Amino acid sequence: MSNSGHSSLRVGAYLLSDAEANLLRALLRLFNYDDKSRWVFAEEAPFDALVVDNARAQVVSAASLPRATRILRLVDNGDSLAGTVDVLERPIRSNRFESWLSQVAGELGSASAVIDMQPKAPSEAPARAKVVTDSDRSKSFKLRRWPP
């Protein structure tokens, strides 16, 4: 996939079920349909972004995690980490995932640093960081009946 002259950003999956990893691959292909997204799914490190199952990642040491600039933790609905920076609640919603990828793409500069596994509280986040929350649901509408 060409990305209009931009270098590709690499996103990977770690400790996710096959179904969730396949969902991420499919979403990235959809995001790249119009060549505006710079993200591609990568099988091997290093990654610009890594999506991990937070519950399963707690069991492994941070040193064993693949090299990544940013880590997005997937948590179950209602988890205490929900609403913090770099945390996304299940089920994975395309608009929230795309919003997080856009935020990360905007923040990535020429310098890449490996982050630690400790989740950041919203107050510790950079001022321009967007927390992916359920409030995004208020932007969508559902048709209850066909218009007359």
Side-chain angles (χ1 to χ4, degrees):
M1 287 175 219
S2 71
N3 287 18
S4 306
H6 298 289
S7 62
S8 295
L9 296 172
R10 298 166 48 91
V11 63
Y14 185 66
L15 301 175
L16 295 183
S17 68
D18 288 341
E20 286 180 323
N22 288 335
L23 175 60
L24 294 181
R25 284 183 190 93
L27 288 174
L28 289 170
R29 281 194 303 268
L30 288 171
F31 299 158
N32 285 323
Y33 178 74
D34 60 2
D35 286 337
K36 290 183 182 177
S37 176
R38 297 173 46 199
W39 292 99
V40 295
F41 192 85
E43 298 291 339
E44 296 179 6
F47 303 108
D48 295 299
L50 183 65
V51 182
V52 300
D53 181 331
N54 191 60
R56 294 173 72 186
Q58 298 299 325
V59 184
V60 298
S61 70
S64 68
L65 284 174
R67 207 173 146 76
T69 305
R70 292 282 295 270
I71 296 177
L72 176 65
R73 292 162 189 82
L74 289 182
V75 297
D76 292 327
N77 197 1
D79 189 282
S80 63
L81 290 177
T84 58
V85 176
D86 295 339
V87 172
L88 184 64
E89 280 186 282
R90 285 185 175 98
I92 299 171
R93 303 210 187 277
S94 63
N95 60 335
R96 294 180 190 159
F97 183 52
E98 186 176 28
S99 173
W100 185 82
L101 289 175
S102 296
Q103 171 197 341
V104 171
E107 291 175 0
L108 287 176
S110 58
S112 296
V114 177
I115 66 166
D116 63 350
M117 263 307 277
Q118 299 300 319
K120 300 175 196 170
S123 61
E124 297 173 48
R128 68 176 198 244
K130 181 178 186 291
V131 177
V132 182
T133 64
D134 281 333
S135 66
D136 292 335
R137 285 188 188 170
S138 64
K139 297 178 185 174
S140 62
F141 299 94
K142 184 177 180 180
L143 183 64
R144 293 183 182 214
R145 65 178 178 85
W146 196 256

